[in-house]
């Protein structure tokens, strides 16, 4: 039989439901900012296009058929408890698929 893996995750995790129509904007903002030591470049158009392309690849931009939850908490030890911690959970209601996008940065 397989081994049991321990994953210490906070029960609450700080997740809140958000409008799925805002997900591409939140992702674009993180791409544009570039992390703790990145510098924003340009007008953000490339970041927005990348975020839209991501949404198209995942759920074909069917924003009304996706539930979006986000958290800025370090809900697992993988995070470094800094301002760049962000988790997005997307659930596709039609295809019954779930995606987790976790972002952090370190020194």
């Amino acid at each position: 039989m397989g081994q049991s893996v321990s994953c210490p995750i906070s029960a609450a995790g700080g997740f809140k439901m958000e409008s799925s129509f805002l997900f591409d904007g939140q992702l674009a903002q993180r791409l544009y900012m570039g992390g703790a030591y990145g510098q924003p470049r340009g007008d953000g158009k490339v970041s927005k296009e990348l975020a839209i392309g991501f949404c198209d690849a995942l759920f074909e931009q069917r924003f009304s058929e996706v539930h979006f939850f986000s958290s800025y908490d370090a809900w697992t030890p993988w995070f470094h408890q800094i301002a760049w911690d962000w988790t997005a959970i997307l659930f596709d209601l039609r295809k019954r698929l779930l995606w987790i996008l976790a972002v952090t940065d370190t020194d």
Side-chain angles (χ1 to χ4, degrees):
M1 293 288 179
Q3 279 186 309
S4 175
V5 177
S6 175
C7 185
I9 296 175
S10 167
F15 286 93
K16 66 176 186 171
M17 188 172 197
E18 299 197 37
S19 170
S20 59
F21 290 91
L22 301 177
F23 171 72
D24 62 318
Q26 289 189 27
L27 178 58
Q29 178 186 13
R30 278 154 189 81
L31 293 170
Y32 179 70
M33 295 307 292
Y37 302 105
Q39 294 295 319
R41 294 189 183 134
D43 59 9
K45 181 179 178 181
V46 171
S47 298
K48 187 67 171 183
E49 288 172 346
L50 286 170
I52 289 288
F54 185 83
C55 293
D56 195 42
L58 252 56
F59 53 88
E60 301 154 341
Q61 296 188 54
R62 292 177 288 102
F63 293 96
S64 66
E65 296 180 14
V66 171
H67 283 189
F68 168 40
F69 301 86
S70 71
S71 174
Y72 297 92
D73 290 357
W75 56 272
T76 179
W78 179 80
F79 290 102
H80 293 275
Q81 298 182 350
I82 56 173
W84 303 104
D85 291 345
W86 179 60
T87 305
I89 296 177
L90 299 156
F91 180 69
D92 186 327
L93 298 166
R94 181 194 304 177
K95 295 186 177 182
R96 298 201 167 282
L97 296 171
L98 180 110
W99 298 279
I100 299 174
L101 175 63
V103 177
T104 193
D105 202 343
T106 63
D107 284 341

